[in-house]
Amino acid sequence: MKRKTRNKIILTTLLVSAAAILIGGTVALILTAGTWKVKMKESREKVCDKGWECSGSKYCCNDTITDFFKVYQFENLFSKRNSPVAHAVGFWDYQSFITAAALFEPLGFCTTGGKQMQMMELCAFLGHVGSKTSCGFGVATGGPTAWGLCYNHEMSPKEDYCDKTNLQYPCVEGAEYYGRGAIPVFWNYNYGAAGDGIHEDLLHHPEYLEQNATMAFMAAMWRWMTPMKKKQPSAHDVFVGNWKPTKNDTLAKRLPGFGATMNVLYGDQICGKGYIDDMNVIISHYQYYLDLMGVGREHSGDNRDCAEQAAFNPSYKKPDDQQQQS
């Protein structure tokens, strides 16, 4: 090979190598810059501190619950709870609710979105609480929706709610796992899971939920904020818009809104059964509270019912698969 030709080949090789290094470096620089921008964005995400109620979270930059929900409104929503005929006189109060909520507001509980969404979520959560603790009936003074927080425990348990096959949360001798709390907890495995969630030994001491109102609200809020299973949404997620339905969800008629919160919390005990009274009562409480809070039931959102929704977790599955289902 002639020296001139050989020099051309060497020169061409060097140029190609240099170009490759330059292009590679540019790509690497672009990737590095992109990664840097993402990290800068993450580091710049604003977090706020509002003292005891909400701190160290982006959600705390929004209004907190005490900004739009006052003592007089709590009293208005649950006006009959301390009537002589109620079954938990003196138990439930505003301070217990706010103290419990302060643990979950940094996670987005009633602090997600704008003020209207925050108030809607408050009414949605309390709609479940009110309906599940009501002793109201059709001709009750003030109407059936005025009697929320009348109970703090199941009055006549139908069974001991001890699932002896559950090894993760085995029944404790002497403990009774009947319904207790703001969104009543049943069964040993649900007490165990809720206890882990709020860092209290509810498996050994389920009675805490009828002895301590703050703890009772905490267990209900934990349930609202916590998915039953991985890759499933929480009641909070389906309500505030954090959840995007899959194709299978759409086919099962599971769509974001208040209806899906009933699906998450109660499954086919309530959902997929048409327009049954048990479902309608929960919706009625939600809309009643929206009216009282000044939001108005016309803003109760789309997909308010779950009449035709297939359950996220069908009840034919084993109890340990149904963990956290009441």
mmCIF file of all heavy atoms in Angstrom, residues 115-149:
data_model
loop_
_atom_site.group_PDB
_atom_site.id
_atom_site.type_symbol
_atom_site.label_atom_id
_atom_site.label_comp_id
_atom_site.label_asym_id
_atom_site.label_seq_id
_atom_site.Cartn_x
_atom_site.Cartn_y
_atom_site.Cartn_z
ATOM 1 N N LYS A 115 -59.237 24.709 46.762
ATOM 2 C CA LYS A 115 -60.090 24.701 47.951
ATOM 3 C C LYS A 115 -61.374 23.899 47.747
ATOM 4 O O LYS A 115 -61.807 23.183 48.649
ATOM 5 C CB LYS A 115 -60.424 26.140 48.347
ATOM 6 C CG LYS A 115 -61.207 26.232 49.659
ATOM 7 C CD LYS A 115 -61.429 27.671 50.080
ATOM 8 C CE LYS A 115 -62.212 27.743 51.383
ATOM 9 N NZ LYS A 115 -62.419 29.149 51.813
ATOM 10 N N GLN A 116 -61.983 24.001 46.562
ATOM 11 C CA GLN A 116 -63.226 23.260 46.340
ATOM 12 C C GLN A 116 -62.993 21.761 46.406
ATOM 13 O O GLN A 116 -63.769 21.027 47.029
ATOM 14 C CB GLN A 116 -63.856 23.631 44.998
ATOM 15 C CG GLN A 116 -65.171 22.869 44.743
ATOM 16 C CD GLN A 116 -65.966 23.446 43.602
ATOM 17 O OE1 GLN A 116 -66.366 24.597 43.636
ATOM 18 N NE2 GLN A 116 -66.203 22.636 42.575
ATOM 19 N N MET A 117 -61.914 21.275 45.776
ATOM 20 C CA MET A 117 -61.612 19.843 45.848
ATOM 21 C C MET A 117 -61.322 19.428 47.287
ATOM 22 O O MET A 117 -61.725 18.348 47.729
ATOM 23 C CB MET A 117 -60.419 19.515 44.939
ATOM 24 C CG MET A 117 -59.916 18.071 45.087
ATOM 25 S SD MET A 117 -61.188 16.807 44.827
ATOM 26 C CE MET A 117 -61.395 16.899 43.045
ATOM 27 N N GLN A 118 -60.621 20.262 48.035
ATOM 28 C CA GLN A 118 -60.322 19.940 49.425
ATOM 29 C C GLN A 118 -61.606 19.802 50.240
ATOM 30 O O GLN A 118 -61.755 18.864 51.035
ATOM 31 C CB GLN A 118 -59.430 21.031 50.027
ATOM 32 C CG GLN A 118 -58.038 21.095 49.416
ATOM 33 C CD GLN A 118 -57.254 22.269 49.972
ATOM 34 O OE1 GLN A 118 -56.987 23.244 49.283
ATOM 35 N NE2 GLN A 118 -56.882 22.182 51.234
ATOM 36 N N MET A 119 -62.531 20.710 50.030
ATOM 37 C CA MET A 119 -63.804 20.653 50.754
ATOM 38 C C MET A 119 -64.641 19.464 50.292
ATOM 39 O O MET A 119 -65.321 18.812 51.093
ATOM 40 C CB MET A 119 -64.564 21.959 50.576
ATOM 41 C CG MET A 119 -63.875 23.153 51.209
ATOM 42 S SD MET A 119 -64.714 24.738 50.915
ATOM 43 C CE MET A 119 -66.108 24.577 52.032
ATOM 44 N N MET A 120 -64.574 19.158 49.010
ATOM 45 C CA MET A 120 -65.292 17.993 48.499
ATOM 46 C C MET A 120 -64.758 16.708 49.116
ATOM 47 O O MET A 120 -65.533 15.822 49.504
ATOM 48 C CB MET A 120 -65.182 17.934 46.979
ATOM 49 C CG MET A 120 -66.024 18.955 46.239
ATOM 50 S SD MET A 120 -65.688 18.982 44.452
ATOM 51 C CE MET A 120 -66.185 17.307 43.998
ATOM 52 N N GLU A 121 -63.425 16.607 49.231
ATOM 53 C CA GLU A 121 -62.868 15.397 49.833
ATOM 54 C C GLU A 121 -63.248 15.284 51.303
ATOM 55 O O GLU A 121 -63.559 14.198 51.795
ATOM 56 C CB GLU A 121 -61.341 15.350 49.694
ATOM 57 C CG GLU A 121 -60.787 14.037 50.253
ATOM 58 C CD GLU A 121 -59.291 13.859 50.137
ATOM 59 O OE1 GLU A 121 -58.588 14.837 49.776
ATOM 60 O OE2 GLU A 121 -58.809 12.751 50.430
ATOM 61 N N LEU A 122 -63.235 16.409 52.006
ATOM 62 C CA LEU A 122 -63.668 16.395 53.401
ATOM 63 C C LEU A 122 -65.092 15.847 53.503
ATOM 64 O O LEU A 122 -65.374 14.970 54.328
ATOM 65 C CB LEU A 122 -63.603 17.805 53.981
ATOM 66 C CG LEU A 122 -64.148 17.963 55.403
ATOM 67 C CD1 LEU A 122 -63.197 17.335 56.408
ATOM 68 C CD2 LEU A 122 -64.384 19.437 55.732
ATOM 69 N N CYS A 123 -65.983 16.351 52.665
ATOM 70 C CA CYS A 123 -67.384 15.916 52.700
ATOM 71 C C CYS A 123 -67.523 14.458 52.269
ATOM 72 O O CYS A 123 -68.377 13.722 52.796
ATOM 73 C CB CYS A 123 -68.232 16.810 51.817
ATOM 74 S SG CYS A 123 -68.346 18.517 52.395
ATOM 75 N N ALA A 124 -66.693 14.036 51.324
ATOM 76 C CA ALA A 124 -66.729 12.636 50.884
ATOM 77 C C ALA A 124 -66.319 11.709 52.018
ATOM 78 O O ALA A 124 -67.002 10.713 52.308
ATOM 79 C CB ALA A 124 -65.807 12.452 49.677
ATOM 80 N N PHE A 125 -65.200 12.029 52.661
ATOM 81 C CA PHE A 125 -64.743 11.206 53.784
ATOM 82 C C PHE A 125 -65.785 11.189 54.894
ATOM 83 O O PHE A 125 -66.167 10.120 55.402
ATOM 84 C CB PHE A 125 -63.418 11.750 54.317
ATOM 85 C CG PHE A 125 -62.962 11.098 55.593
ATOM 86 C CD1 PHE A 125 -62.392 9.839 55.585
ATOM 87 C CD2 PHE A 125 -63.109 11.747 56.824
ATOM 88 C CE1 PHE A 125 -61.981 9.224 56.763
ATOM 89 C CE2 PHE A 125 -62.707 11.146 58.002
ATOM 90 C CZ PHE A 125 -62.145 9.875 57.963
ATOM 91 N N LEU A 126 -66.276 12.370 55.264
ATOM 92 C CA LEU A 126 -67.256 12.438 56.349
ATOM 93 C C LEU A 126 -68.593 11.827 55.936
ATOM 94 O O LEU A 126 -69.356 11.370 56.793
ATOM 95 C CB LEU A 126 -67.439 13.887 56.787
ATOM 96 C CG LEU A 126 -66.238 14.519 57.491
ATOM 97 C CD1 LEU A 126 -66.517 15.979 57.843
ATOM 98 C CD2 LEU A 126 -65.850 13.736 58.749
ATOM 99 N N GLY A 127 -68.878 11.797 54.633
ATOM 100 C CA GLY A 127 -70.078 11.114 54.166
ATOM 101 C C GLY A 127 -70.055 9.642 54.528
ATOM 102 O O GLY A 127 -71.072 9.066 54.943
ATOM 103 N N HIS A 128 -68.893 9.024 54.385
ATOM 104 C CA HIS A 128 -68.749 7.626 54.797
ATOM 105 C C HIS A 128 -68.854 7.502 56.312
ATOM 106 O O HIS A 128 -69.556 6.626 56.833
ATOM 107 C CB HIS A 128 -67.408 7.071 54.317
ATOM 108 C CG HIS A 128 -67.356 6.810 52.847
ATOM 109 N ND1 HIS A 128 -67.877 5.670 52.268
ATOM 110 C CD2 HIS A 128 -66.846 7.547 51.830
ATOM 111 C CE1 HIS A 128 -67.692 5.710 50.968
ATOM 112 N NE2 HIS A 128 -67.068 6.844 50.672
ATOM 113 N N VAL A 129 -68.165 8.383 57.012
ATOM 114 C CA VAL A 129 -68.187 8.345 58.479
ATOM 115 C C VAL A 129 -69.610 8.525 58.998
ATOM 116 O O VAL A 129 -70.090 7.736 59.826
ATOM 117 C CB VAL A 129 -67.266 9.446 59.056
ATOM 118 C CG1 VAL A 129 -67.466 9.586 60.572
ATOM 119 C CG2 VAL A 129 -65.805 9.144 58.738
ATOM 120 N N GLY A 130 -70.278 9.565 58.504
ATOM 121 C CA GLY A 130 -71.624 9.859 58.986
ATOM 122 C C GLY A 130 -72.599 8.724 58.739
ATOM 123 O O GLY A 130 -73.380 8.342 59.621
ATOM 124 N N SER A 131 -72.552 8.161 57.538
ATOM 125 C CA SER A 131 -73.497 7.095 57.198
ATOM 126 C C SER A 131 -73.222 5.819 57.978
ATOM 127 O O SER A 131 -74.154 5.079 58.320
ATOM 128 C CB SER A 131 -73.448 6.812 55.695
ATOM 129 O OG SER A 131 -72.187 6.314 55.304
ATOM 130 N N LYS A 132 -71.972 5.560 58.285
ATOM 131 C CA LYS A 132 -71.612 4.314 58.972
ATOM 132 C C LYS A 132 -71.754 4.414 60.488
ATOM 133 O O LYS A 132 -71.663 3.390 61.179
ATOM 134 C CB LYS A 132 -70.168 3.926 58.610
ATOM 135 C CG LYS A 132 -69.992 3.487 57.170
ATOM 136 C CD LYS A 132 -70.825 2.263 56.865
ATOM 137 C CE LYS A 132 -70.721 1.819 55.425
ATOM 138 N NZ LYS A 132 -71.530 0.613 55.143
ATOM 139 N N THR A 133 -71.965 5.607 61.003
ATOM 140 C CA THR A 133 -72.119 5.773 62.460
ATOM 141 C C THR A 133 -73.461 6.406 62.810
ATOM 142 O O THR A 133 -73.652 6.887 63.921
ATOM 143 C CB THR A 133 -70.988 6.651 63.029
ATOM 144 O OG1 THR A 133 -71.015 7.934 62.373
ATOM 145 C CG2 THR A 133 -69.629 6.005 62.837
ATOM 146 N N SER A 134 -74.380 6.411 61.859
ATOM 147 C CA SER A 134 -75.665 7.079 62.052
ATOM 148 C C SER A 134 -76.672 6.190 62.777
ATOM 149 O O SER A 134 -76.710 4.977 62.551
ATOM 150 C CB SER A 134 -76.243 7.490 60.706
ATOM 151 O OG SER A 134 -77.533 8.055 60.866
ATOM 152 N N CYS A 135 -77.467 6.808 63.631
ATOM 153 C CA CYS A 135 -78.610 6.107 64.218
ATOM 154 C C CYS A 135 -79.900 6.781 63.772
ATOM 155 O O CYS A 135 -80.943 6.649 64.407
ATOM 156 C CB CYS A 135 -78.517 6.050 65.734
ATOM 157 S SG CYS A 135 -78.387 7.661 66.541
ATOM 158 N N GLY A 136 -79.805 7.536 62.680
ATOM 159 C CA GLY A 136 -80.974 8.210 62.143
ATOM 160 C C GLY A 136 -81.885 7.252 61.400
ATOM 161 O O GLY A 136 -81.473 6.172 60.964
ATOM 162 N N PHE A 137 -83.123 7.646 61.235
ATOM 163 C CA PHE A 137 -84.085 6.872 60.477
ATOM 164 C C PHE A 137 -85.047 7.854 59.822
ATOM 165 O O PHE A 137 -84.947 9.077 60.032
ATOM 166 C CB PHE A 137 -84.833 5.880 61.372
ATOM 167 C CG PHE A 137 -85.411 6.502 62.609
ATOM 168 C CD1 PHE A 137 -86.709 6.996 62.635
ATOM 169 C CD2 PHE A 137 -84.633 6.611 63.769
ATOM 170 C CE1 PHE A 137 -87.230 7.571 63.781
ATOM 171 C CE2 PHE A 137 -85.163 7.189 64.922
ATOM 172 C CZ PHE A 137 -86.458 7.683 64.924
ATOM 173 N N GLY A 138 -85.938 7.342 59.014
ATOM 174 C CA GLY A 138 -86.754 8.190 58.153
ATOM 175 C C GLY A 138 -87.467 9.335 58.836
ATOM 176 O O GLY A 138 -87.582 10.424 58.279
ATOM 177 N N VAL A 139 -87.980 9.115 60.044
ATOM 178 C CA VAL A 139 -88.755 10.161 60.719
ATOM 179 C C VAL A 139 -87.986 10.799 61.872
ATOM 180 O O VAL A 139 -88.555 11.508 62.696
ATOM 181 C CB VAL A 139 -90.098 9.588 61.240
ATOM 182 C CG1 VAL A 139 -90.974 9.151 60.086
ATOM 183 C CG2 VAL A 139 -89.874 8.428 62.208
ATOM 184 N N ALA A 140 -86.661 10.549 61.925
ATOM 185 C CA ALA A 140 -85.851 11.122 63.004
ATOM 186 C C ALA A 140 -85.842 12.642 62.910
ATOM 187 O O ALA A 140 -85.876 13.214 61.818
ATOM 188 C CB ALA A 140 -84.420 10.593 62.926
ATOM 189 N N THR A 141 -85.783 13.304 64.054
ATOM 190 C CA THR A 141 -85.729 14.773 64.094
ATOM 191 C C THR A 141 -84.521 15.266 63.312
ATOM 192 O O THR A 141 -83.390 14.839 63.555
ATOM 193 C CB THR A 141 -85.629 15.263 65.544
ATOM 194 O OG1 THR A 141 -86.718 14.726 66.290
ATOM 195 C CG2 THR A 141 -85.660 16.776 65.604
ATOM 196 N N GLY A 142 -84.754 16.160 62.381
ATOM 197 C CA GLY A 142 -83.658 16.669 61.563
ATOM 198 C C GLY A 142 -83.369 15.820 60.349
ATOM 199 O O GLY A 142 -82.542 16.183 59.520
ATOM 200 N N GLY A 143 -84.031 14.665 60.242
ATOM 201 C CA GLY A 143 -83.807 13.765 59.114
ATOM 202 C C GLY A 143 -82.677 12.792 59.386
ATOM 203 O O GLY A 143 -81.835 13.008 60.266
ATOM 204 N N PRO A 144 -82.630 11.693 58.648
ATOM 205 C CA PRO A 144 -81.650 10.629 58.921
ATOM 206 C C PRO A 144 -80.198 11.058 58.751
ATOM 207 O O PRO A 144 -79.308 10.505 59.389
ATOM 208 C CB PRO A 144 -82.020 9.543 57.907
ATOM 209 C CG PRO A 144 -82.802 10.237 56.851
ATOM 210 C CD PRO A 144 -83.528 11.352 57.528
ATOM 211 N N THR A 145 -79.938 12.075 57.918
ATOM 212 C CA THR A 145 -78.548 12.484 57.682
ATOM 213 C C THR A 145 -77.985 13.362 58.794
ATOM 214 O O THR A 145 -76.797 13.687 58.784
ATOM 215 C CB THR A 145 -78.441 13.238 56.341
ATOM 216 O OG1 THR A 145 -79.448 14.254 56.285
ATOM 217 C CG2 THR A 145 -78.623 12.288 55.167
ATOM 218 N N ALA A 146 -78.819 13.757 59.755
ATOM 219 C CA ALA A 146 -78.366 14.627 60.843
ATOM 220 C C ALA A 146 -77.783 13.844 62.019
ATOM 221 O O ALA A 146 -77.337 14.450 62.993
ATOM 222 C CB ALA A 146 -79.521 15.497 61.330
ATOM 223 N N TRP A 147 -77.778 12.512 61.912
ATOM 224 C CA TRP A 147 -77.438 11.681 63.065
ATOM 225 C C TRP A 147 -76.095 10.961 62.951
ATOM 226 O O TRP A 147 -75.868 9.942 63.594
ATOM 227 C CB TRP A 147 -78.566 10.685 63.331
ATOM 228 C CG TRP A 147 -79.810 11.356 63.837
ATOM 229 C CD1 TRP A 147 -80.764 12.006 63.111
ATOM 230 C CD2 TRP A 147 -80.206 11.468 65.207
ATOM 231 N NE1 TRP A 147 -81.742 12.513 63.926
ATOM 232 C CE2 TRP A 147 -81.428 12.196 65.224
ATOM 233 C CE3 TRP A 147 -79.666 11.023 66.423
ATOM 234 C CZ2 TRP A 147 -82.103 12.498 66.403
ATOM 235 C CZ3 TRP A 147 -80.344 11.318 67.585
ATOM 236 C CH2 TRP A 147 -81.553 12.045 67.580
ATOM 237 N N GLY A 148 -75.191 11.485 62.173
ATOM 238 C CA GLY A 148 -73.860 10.891 62.086
ATOM 239 C C GLY A 148 -73.109 10.983 63.400
ATOM 240 O O GLY A 148 -73.376 11.858 64.224
ATOM 241 N N LEU A 149 -72.176 10.068 63.596
ATOM 242 C CA LEU A 149 -71.378 9.966 64.829
ATOM 243 C C LEU A 149 -72.263 9.680 66.049
ATOM 244 O O LEU A 149 -71.958 10.113 67.160
ATOM 245 C CB LEU A 149 -70.522 11.218 65.056
ATOM 246 C CG LEU A 149 -69.445 11.480 63.993
ATOM 247 C CD1 LEU A 149 -68.640 12.735 64.334
ATOM 248 C CD2 LEU A 149 -68.509 10.279 63.847
#
